[in-house]
Amino acid sequence: MALNVFYSMVREAAEQLIRREPKLAFSANARICAILAKNYDIISGVSSIYMINQTAGIIPAEYMAVVAMNNADMTRALQMITLSLVDFSVVVPNPSELMIVQAMDPANTKCNVYISPSDYVPITSLLENETQTEEISNEADQTTNASVNDFSV
């Protein structure tokens, strides 16, 4: 599906959702994630809230969309976009949320993830960047630990 078409469809759906249920924009983390499935169905999830004892947390919209896909016996994702329900801007999902999409089907390495209303990248490029950042961070930690150990008494 063309870039602008999918973005526009999801934004329109998000705006309608907020008009009907304004409480859904409950925080800056309120989001909608839409996944274009292999059969061109659009499966969406909206961020939600969970409680453990008296502590609340947020369930990511991406996770909710994946659960909806699983419930519909679908696994293949062609495109994915996450929008803020506050200002309808495109939000790049966290790597942990992207990994659950990729884990659903080996072909999802070709899923395109929106990074702006008019641009997307393969899911693997976002995960590669995270892996490289993690490796650099781990190397820096090891260097720091080695330096600290060198000066131990």
Side-chain angles (χ1 to χ4, degrees):
M1 184 176 291
L3 278 167
N4 295 13
V5 173
F6 189 49
Y7 167 78
S8 296
M9 290 173 68
V10 175
R11 180 174 175 141
E12 184 179 321
E15 289 172 348
Q16 287 177 9
L17 184 63
I18 293 303
R19 279 194 296 273
R20 279 187 271 146
E21 297 292 335
K23 293 176 277 186
L24 287 176
F26 59 88
S27 78
N29 293 320
R31 298 178 179 151
I32 184 170
C33 173
I35 299 174
L36 179 65
K38 182 179 178 181
N39 63 357
Y40 295 99
D41 282 343
I42 297 174
I43 299 92
S44 299
V46 176
S47 52
S48 189
I49 299 171
Y50 70 88
M51 295 279 298
I52 298 176
N53 298 322
Q54 299 294 321
T55 305
I58 294 177
I59 301 171
E62 296 83 359
Y63 179 81
M64 299 301 288
V66 167
V67 168
M69 281 188 76
N70 284 331
N71 288 341
D73 292 323
M74 296 181 204
T75 60
R76 180 69 172 93
L78 301 176
Q79 293 181 8
M80 175 180 173
I81 187 169
T82 302
L83 299 181
S84 164
L85 289 176
V86 176
D87 63 4
F88 308 110
S89 61
V90 173
V91 178
V92 178
N94 291 323
S96 59
E97 295 151 2
L98 294 172
M99 286 189 285
I100 62 171
V101 174
Q102 187 174 340
M104 285 191 312
D105 190 306
N108 285 350
T109 57
K110 296 178 182 165
C111 176
N112 290 311
V113 179
Y114 280 71
I115 58 172
S116 76
S118 59
D119 195 18
Y120 58 61
V121 296
I123 195 170
T124 52
S125 70
L126 293 171
L127 292 172
E128 286 170 4
N129 290 341
E130 178 62 22
T131 302
Q132 289 170 354
T133 302
E134 208 171 281
E135 287 171 0
I136 291 168
S137 176
N138 288 340
E139 287 174 15
D141 289 346
Q142 289 172 358
T143 303
T144 302
N145 290 339
S147 299
V148 169
N149 291 336
D150 291 341
F151 295 104
S152 297
V153 220

